[in-house]
Amino acid sequence: MTDSKYFTTTKKGEIFELKAELNSDKKEKKKEAVKKVIASMTVGKDVSALFPDVVNCMQTDNLELKKLVYLYLMNYAKSQPDMAIMAVNTFVKDCEDPNPLIRALAVRTMGCIRVDKITEYLCEPLRKCLKDEDPYVRKTAAVCVAKLHDINAQLVEDQGFLDTLKDLISDSNPMVVANAVAALSEIAESHPNSNLLDLNPQTINKLLTALNECTEWGQIFILDCLANYTPRDDRESQSICERVTPRLSHANSAVVLSAVKVLMKFMEMLPKDLDYYGTLLKKLAPPLVTLLSAEPELQYVALRNINLIVQKRPEILKHEMKVFFVKYNDPIYVKLEKLDIMIRLASQANIAQVLAELKEYATEVDVDFVRKAVRAIGRCAIKVEQSAERCVSTLLDLIQTKVNYVVQEAIVVIKDIFRKYPNKYESVIATLCENLDSLDEPEARAAMIWIVGEYAERIDNADELLESFLEGFHDESTQVQLQLLTAIVKLFLKKPTETQELVQQVLSLATQDSDNPDLRDRGYIYWRLLSTDPVAAKEVVLAEKPLISEETDLIEPTLLEELICHIGTLASVYHKPPSAFVEGSRGVQHKRLPARAGSGESAESPDVGQSGPAEAPPAVIPSQGDLLGDLLNLDLAPPTATIPSVQPSMQMGAMDLLGGGLDSLMGDESDTLGGDIGGSPSMGAGLGAAPAAMPAALGSAPAVGGGLGDLFDLGGGVGMPTGAYVAPKTVWLPAMKAKGLEISGTFARRGGIIQMDLSLTNKAMSVMTDFAIQFNRNSFGLAPAGPLQVLTPLSPNQTIDVSLPLSTSGPVMKMEPLNNLQVAVKNNIDVFYFSCQYPLSLLFVEDGKMERQVFLATWKDIPNDNEAQFQIKDIHLNSDAASNKLQGSNIFTIAKRTVEGQDMLYQSVKLTNAIWVLAEMRIQTGNPNYTLSIKCRAPEVSQFVYQCYELVLKN
């Protein structure tokens, strides 16, 4: 009879009956009762009231009953810690039982009871079991050490269990070795710097010996441990590879992937001209191919790992292309992954085969798959030059099918082919233009517009084509609007006489009628370029474009190296390092492949997280250096601040962005431009002079010095930020405390230099001379950059203003509060001490504008626990005005989004000690209260950054 009967009873008063049965003298009745208790516990009933009665049943020789009681104990010990201590004596006794199964069961259960009071009693039994004569007991005790370490790490270290675990690596039984390695690896993960697994050639030899004989999961633990070892030279590396290779033929796919990980890592150290290197490459292919005959879910995991392997060493699978051909019954996620690998393996030798396959895929019914197949044809053309012509003709055949989504994908990839092979396949443009009307996806429309703008001189009706897109300009997506703006400016520079109206129209739409800052800024930059120096405009807009690379979606090399070290784990499926998705990743170590023999690199330098708030994480935030950033994504504010200076007669609608009206554009009143565009004499004066109807700040184009020089000289235009806010001086040292010397002051940041503005007033009867100043150590290392310059004696009732430049290279000590500064001032009378607090904005540096992608990555990378929220109340500014004001204090707006009437500004700040602060500010129209979210790797800074926001916005 089965045990299902225990789960069917629902009687009332059951607890009392069970209590009586548990205390029965008959062994069978007791066992039945305990089974009923476990059944009730399993379905969620509370049977903790029976704790003492169940514990009494522990005194038995019956193994089945003992297991049941131990199961109950594990579940309820946490809620009944005082009662659980009653069981300790039985545990201790069971650890000395002649039956090894009972000894192991006792030590396993004690490890599962997470109660501090009991852990102290566990030490002695555990010590005995670690040295037990039976390997089954030793292997169970090894895992118990890891469990105990999780409950009380200090206790494990004090009792010397870690050393005993290390000794177990030399055990004669392979399962004990595997469990000892598993336990040490688990402990080492939470203590990345502890060097617990001190791997040396002798230890490695013992692990490799155990590898052949232990269970499959034991093999995985040992292989993962081997992967963390760095061999001394290529001979040792080869020897390990030879002993690991047999694991490739294991039935368990996890063992295979772990073995592949070890081999991929150690191959790095083998010279490529070695015969064994070639043999190893051949041996790696069959097991990877075999993984693809498993069920779809396993195939997907294998394909994600193969994707990494192929990027690192494509030669392993270069002859196995056919395995990656898609089967009709593959799920879509497997199909897309296979397609990706096919392109990575495409070469001149197999391209004909690949193209025939891809053309077949493009006629499938699954839309996503077809899109990816069409895109894959384009990628093949870019990767294998000899195949480009075949790819283009294949794409043209697909366009002739007139299937909407196929046509759109084809146009997107043909744009890339034009970029890769200029002046080669432009004959197909006419065919593309026939399909203009069917394009409804932003990416396809943008690609077509780019083609028309780039090859405008070859398309007779280019202006008509672009004009047709312009009709619904405001309904287009940003991507299309930006592309259209650039294409029309290109067209204008190529055919100036025919397209003034068109360029005038698009610049007007982009700058006046759009609320998208990217579009507006690009419009202003083009307007400025065209109006000040058309020759420079031609050089910028029609510059020769760099050829696009073969593989645009390759994983960045250092990340690829790290992911190769994580083959067979979740990181290799996500294609992200563990630190990106493991919560509280304190134990996540960045791994690297070892350096090849003779390459001169250090063999291993695990990149451990930063140690304190002063260190900026180099991986996430690259140095801003002297990058100009993306010229066309410059974030200038809208021209709101400059509107009042417009002449009274001006109307925004009639604003002429290109100079004195279209008439003057065609006329030849005066040739101020020096050189004309594209040999067209008719494009003349108008572009240089500012129109009467321009806002003063935008209009008057300054004398053009060096073509592009003016482009970034935006001081007089487009709503520039005001200067940084400087608080009024306050009294820091009253005269009554300093024998008549009164000091009041404030702090300011001017032109990147921090200054302490002081007013020294003599309220005593005698003259004061010989002034000097010194700071105590402080949180950000503020120190005087020079002496206190009081050049003349300070007479009675006289006040002198002094500005003291400060540096941030002084000694550092964390202050309370963080922005506290303790100052000593000396004169001919005495030394006086006072403390003051500086606004943190003093330390906001000028190069604190982060790139968008970096901002996004960093925001995700900083743990959510580091996020702080604040309310800034009673602010009556719109988002643009607030952004300008904050930029004056080096708080830079990186992007702005409007969601349901709420503006969201994403901002970055960099402190002098390279700490980055990221912020999101939400501004609801009509609501004077702003919500500010701040994220920073040094969260103690957030409160003070919020105070700076409040100070700047309210003054």
Side-chain angles (χ1 to χ4, degrees):
M1 186 167 175
T2 65
D3 288 343
S4 58
K5 60 178 180 181
Y6 299 112
F7 293 90
T8 52
T9 163
T10 51
K11 289 185 294 188
K12 288 190 177 174
E14 194 178 6
I15 298 280
F16 298 107
E17 284 181 27
L18 286 172
K19 203 177 181 78
E21 285 176 30
L22 286 169
N23 293 316
S24 163
D25 298 333
K26 291 179 184 169
K27 281 187 180 178
E28 272 310 305
K29 214 163 191 184
K30 261 189 186 176
K31 194 160 87 175
E32 290 292 302
V34 174
K35 281 187 178 180
K36 286 179 189 170
V37 171
I38 298 291
S40 300
M41 180 179 91
T42 309
V43 296
K45 287 185 190 167
D46 181 14
V47 283
S48 56
L50 297 169
F51 199 94
D53 306 288
V54 177
V55 170
N56 285 338
C57 299
M58 276 174 81
Q59 316 282 347
T60 175
D61 300 331
N62 185 316
L63 189 60
E64 190 185 0
L65 181 55
K66 210 176 253 306
K67 278 185 179 175
L68 289 168
V69 174
Y70 279 175
L71 195 62
Y72 177 88
L73 257 177
M74 279 190 243
N75 199 39
Y76 282 117
K78 205 160 192 174
S79 58
Q80 309 257 358
D82 297 330
M83 300 286 259
I85 291 184
M86 289 163 50
V88 166
N89 285 336
T90 315
F91 280 134
V92 175
K93 214 166 97 190
D94 281 355
C95 284
E96 293 173 6
D97 194 278
N99 183 344
L101 286 175
I102 289 184
R103 295 203 296 276
L105 182 63
V107 80
R108 178 188 292 134
T109 310
M110 285 174 85
C112 291
I113 295 176
R114 304 178 62 85
V115 176
D116 288 333
K117 288 181 180 176
I118 289 186
T119 45
E120 299 156 26
Y121 298 101
L122 172 58
C123 297
E124 270 320 302
L126 181 57
R127 189 174 284 110
K128 283 180 188 165
C129 290
L130 281 167
K131 298 200 165 113
D132 198 282
E133 61 196 20
D134 192 284
Y136 181 74
V137 180
R138 291 199 301 277
K139 87 174 180 72
T140 310
V143 176
C144 188
V145 173
K147 290 179 180 171
L148 184 59
H149 187 275
D150 192 37
I151 302 167
N152 189 339
Q154 197 56 49
L155 183 72
V156 170
E157 285 161 33
D158 296 346
Q159 294 282 344
F161 287 144
L162 295 180
D163 297 326
T164 318
L165 259 190
K166 287 179 191 173
D167 296 342
L168 286 182
I169 288 182
S170 314
D171 199 278
S172 56
N173 184 287
M175 263 324 296
V176 177
V177 177
N179 278 20
V181 167
L184 283 169
S185 304
E186 180 81 20
I187 295 169
E189 265 183 29
S190 55
H191 292 68
N193 303 329
S194 58
N195 200 18
L196 281 175
L197 277 161
D198 186 15
L199 298 174
N200 52 44
Q202 292 73 35
T203 319
I204 292 296
N205 195 28
K206 287 168 188 162
L207 293 181
L208 287 165
T209 309
L211 185 62
N212 298 323
E213 298 167 42
C214 58
T215 65
E216 50 195 6
W217 297 108
Q219 290 181 29
I220 292 166
F221 285 125
I222 291 176
L223 287 167
D224 286 349
C225 179
L226 286 172
N228 292 329
Y229 175 62
T230 303
R232 292 164 306 174
D233 52 29
D234 53 345
R235 284 185 59 190
E236 188 186 0
S237 189
Q238 181 175 338
S239 140
I240 294 173
C241 288
E242 283 169 351
R243 293 177 71 179
V244 167
T245 311
R247 299 300 104 214
L248 291 173
S249 52
H250 201 285
N252 185 326
S253 50
V255 176
V256 175
L257 281 177
S258 293
V260 169
K261 169 167 62 181
V262 175
L263 296 172
M264 285 292 289
K265 185 169 179 181
F266 290 173
M267 274 171 83
E268 283 293 309
M269 294 192 70
L270 299 177
K272 288 198 171 183
D273 50 5
L274 195 72
D275 288 344
Y276 181 69
Y277 181 84
T279 315
L280 196 52
L281 283 179
K282 285 178 187 158
K283 283 184 177 172
L284 274 170
L288 292 172
V289 169
T290 308
L291 289 176
L292 296 182
S293 54
E295 49 268 39
E297 295 78 9
L298 279 180
Q299 273 188 56
Y300 179 72
V301 172
L303 286 165
R304 291 295 280 176
N305 281 279
I306 289 169
N307 201 327
L308 297 174
I309 293 164
V310 166
Q311 285 184 53
K312 185 71 185 164
R313 300 199 183 286
E315 61 270 31
I316 292 177
L317 289 159
K318 65 179 178 187
H319 300 304
E320 303 292 345
M321 176 63 89
K322 281 195 168 167
V323 197
F324 299 104
F325 285 175
V326 170
K327 299 192 179 96
Y328 76 95
N329 58 350
D330 280 340
I332 182 70
Y333 54 88
V334 170
K335 283 181 177 176
L336 296 177
E337 228 22 72
K338 280 185 173 177
L339 209 49
D340 224 17
I341 295 168
M342 277 170 68
I343 298 176
R344 297 211 192 287
L345 293 175
S347 63
Q348 207 177 332
N350 56 25
I351 193 72
Q353 229 182 346
V354 172
L355 273 180
E357 275 290 308
L358 292 176
K359 192 170 180 183
E360 199 63 40
Y361 299 161
T363 58
E364 289 265 350
V365 288
D366 192 313
V367 177
D368 283 340
F369 181 51
V370 171
R371 284 174 181 280
K372 187 117 183 195
V374 175
R375 203 157 277 209
I377 295 171
R379 277 173 63 189
C380 287
I382 289 164
K383 189 176 180 191
V384 186
E385 189 168 344
Q386 294 77 1
S387 74
E389 200 149 327
R390 295 179 63 168
C391 293
V392 171
S393 66
T394 306
L395 288 168
L396 288 176
D397 291 348
L398 292 172
I399 286 175
Q400 298 308 331
T401 63
K402 300 288 183 197
V403 177
N404 193 312
Y405 53 87
V406 176
V407 173
Q408 307 208 57
E409 281 299 326
I411 285 174
V412 172
V413 294
I414 286 174
K415 178 199 79 171
D416 290 340
I417 294 172
F418 285 169
R419 280 287 303 274
K420 176 74 175 171
Y421 309 110
N423 304 320
K424 213 166 174 189
Y425 300 109
E426 281 76 8
S427 52
V428 308
I429 291 175
T431 316
L432 302 184
C433 291
E434 290 167 16
N435 293 283
L436 261 178
D437 300 337
S438 65
L439 306 181
D440 51 19
E441 288 168 18
E443 199 178 358
R445 288 173 79 82
M448 193 66 225
I449 291 166
W450 182 86
I451 292 169
V452 173
E454 190 64 20
Y455 301 102
E457 68 278 15
R458 303 180 186 213
I459 304 172
D460 300 334
N461 61 338
D463 50 344
E464 291 170 22
L465 296 177
L466 291 176
E467 203 168 352
S468 67
F469 282 106
L470 205 56
E471 287 162 10
F473 186 77
H474 289 303
D475 302 328
E476 300 284 7
S477 71
T478 307
Q479 183 185 6
V480 177
Q481 290 177 334
L482 287 166
Q483 203 58 265
L484 193 52
L485 172 60
T486 305
I488 290 175
V489 171
K490 282 181 189 170
L491 177 66
F492 174 65
L493 291 169
K494 290 174 182 178
K495 303 180 178 178
T497 47
E498 303 146 40
T499 51
Q500 286 89 3
E501 281 188 38
L502 194 59
V503 81
Q504 179 76 41
Q505 192 184 348
V506 77
L507 286 171
S508 167
L509 285 167
T511 52
Q512 292 166 41
D513 306 346
S514 168
D515 56 1
N516 181 318
D518 285 348
L519 185 62
R520 221 170 32 225
D521 296 347
R522 193 181 288 198
Y524 279 123
I525 286 175
Y526 283 154
W527 171 75
R528 240 189 147 147
L529 267 173
L530 292 171
S531 63
T532 53
D533 190 346
V535 181
K538 195 162 190 178
E539 284 172 14
V540 171
V541 181
L542 301 180
E544 201 166 311
K545 286 155 196 64
L547 298 183
I548 58 177
S549 64
E550 295 174 10
E551 297 278 2
T552 47
D553 58 344
L554 284 177
I555 293 174
E556 191 259 328
T558 49
L559 175 58
L560 181 62
E561 285 199 359
E562 188 176 348
L563 293 175
I564 292 285
C565 296
H566 288 294
I567 282 178
T569 68
L570 210 49
S572 66
V573 179
Y574 285 161
H575 288 189
K576 287 179 181 174
S579 54
F581 59 86
V582 176
E583 285 241 333
S585 50
R586 61 194 169 89
V588 172
Q589 237 178 322
H590 295 293
K591 298 183 181 179
R592 281 183 57 187
L593 293 176
R596 189 172 295 289
S599 71
E601 286 180 48
S602 64
E604 188 160 35
S605 55
D607 187 31
V608 183
Q610 76 223 58
S611 57
E615 283 178 42
V620 182
I621 303 171
S623 149
Q624 300 289 303
D626 56 355
L627 295 173
L628 288 175
D630 181 355
L631 174 72
L632 298 178
N633 281 338
L634 278 175
D635 261 355
L636 311 179
T640 47
T642 54
I643 298 300
S645 58
V646 178
Q647 296 170 7
S649 62
M650 172 189 167
Q651 289 180 337
M652 278 305 278
M655 188 207 253
D656 177 357
L657 285 169
L658 280 180
L662 291 176
D663 305 331
S664 65
L665 188 71
M666 298 302 295
D668 51 352
E669 292 127 35
S670 63
D671 194 352
T672 53
L673 284 179
D676 50 46
I677 293 186
S680 160
S682 62
M683 181 172 172
L687 281 175
M694 276 305 295
L698 281 179
S700 50
V704 177
L708 276 176
D710 173 52
L711 179 60
F712 295 99
D713 176 21
L714 294 163
V718 204
M720 284 308 290
T722 50
Y725 166 70
V726 180
K729 288 180 181 171
T730 51
V731 176
W732 286 339
L733 182 67
M736 57 188 289
K737 286 189 178 177
K739 299 182 181 172
L741 172 65
E742 184 183 273
I743 300 178
S744 51
T746 186
F747 293 90
R749 187 180 180 96
R750 301 185 184 96
I753 294 167
I754 303 172
Q755 288 173 325
M756 186 184 205
D757 294 342
L758 298 168
S759 291
L760 309 176
T761 305
N762 183 354
K763 294 194 174 176
M765 304 305 290
S766 54
V767 174
M768 294 180 181
T769 56
D770 305 331
F771 284 88
I773 191 165
Q774 200 174 346
F775 295 174
N776 192 2
R777 290 191 297 170
N778 53 79
S779 305
F780 294 90
L782 282 177
L788 186 60
Q789 301 278 359
V790 183
L791 301 176
T792 54
L794 189 59
S795 307
N797 294 321
Q798 185 189 357
T799 298
I800 289 182
D801 290 333
V802 187
S803 206
L804 176 71
L806 307 181
S807 76
T808 52
S809 53
V812 174
M813 179 176 80
K814 191 173 177 185
M815 301 295 287
E816 198 55 51
L818 208 59
N819 61 342
N820 196 24
L821 182 65
Q822 296 173 341
V823 185
V825 173
K826 175 184 108 38
N827 64 8
N828 58 332
I829 298 170
D830 205 344
V831 180
F832 308 105
Y833 300 91
F834 65 91
S835 67
C836 55
Q837 292 182 5
Y838 49 89
L840 214 62
S841 53
L842 209 58
L843 308 166
F844 296 174
V845 294
E846 282 66 21
D847 66 343
K849 184 164 185 179
M850 200 182 259
E851 286 179 27
R852 290 171 192 218
Q853 295 305 320
V854 179
F855 180 97
L856 205 62
T858 312
W859 185 276
K860 288 178 184 169
D861 200 52
I862 296 173
N864 289 337
D865 297 349
N866 287 22
E867 187 173 343
Q869 280 216 341
F870 305 95
Q871 286 282 326
I872 308 174
K873 297 186 173 171
D874 296 316
I875 307 290
H876 299 279
L877 298 170
N878 66 14
S879 56
D880 292 330
S883 177
N884 283 344
K885 211 164 187 188
L886 291 165
Q887 192 167 330
S889 294
N890 294 339
I891 298 172
F892 297 94
T893 300
I894 287 161
K896 173 182 163 187
R897 259 190 339 145
T898 305
V899 182
E900 298 175 347
Q902 181 172 249
D903 285 348
M904 296 160 75
L905 301 180
Y906 298 93
Q907 299 173 319
S908 70
V909 171
K910 184 182 175 187
L911 272 61
T912 49
N913 59 357
I915 290 179
W916 285 86
V917 180
L918 277 51
E920 179 198 64
M921 189 158 74
R922 299 181 190 186
I923 301 171
Q924 184 82 42
T925 314
N927 182 355
N929 301 339
Y930 293 2
T931 305
L932 180 68
S933 301
I934 294 178
K935 257 191 170 186
C936 178
R937 291 185 196 281
E940 54 268 44
V941 170
S942 302
Q943 175 68 33
F944 298 94
V945 173
Y946 153 67
Q947 288 169 7
C948 297
Y949 267 81
E950 205 167 33
L951 204 63
V952 172
L953 291 170
K954 288 192 173 179
N955 292 287

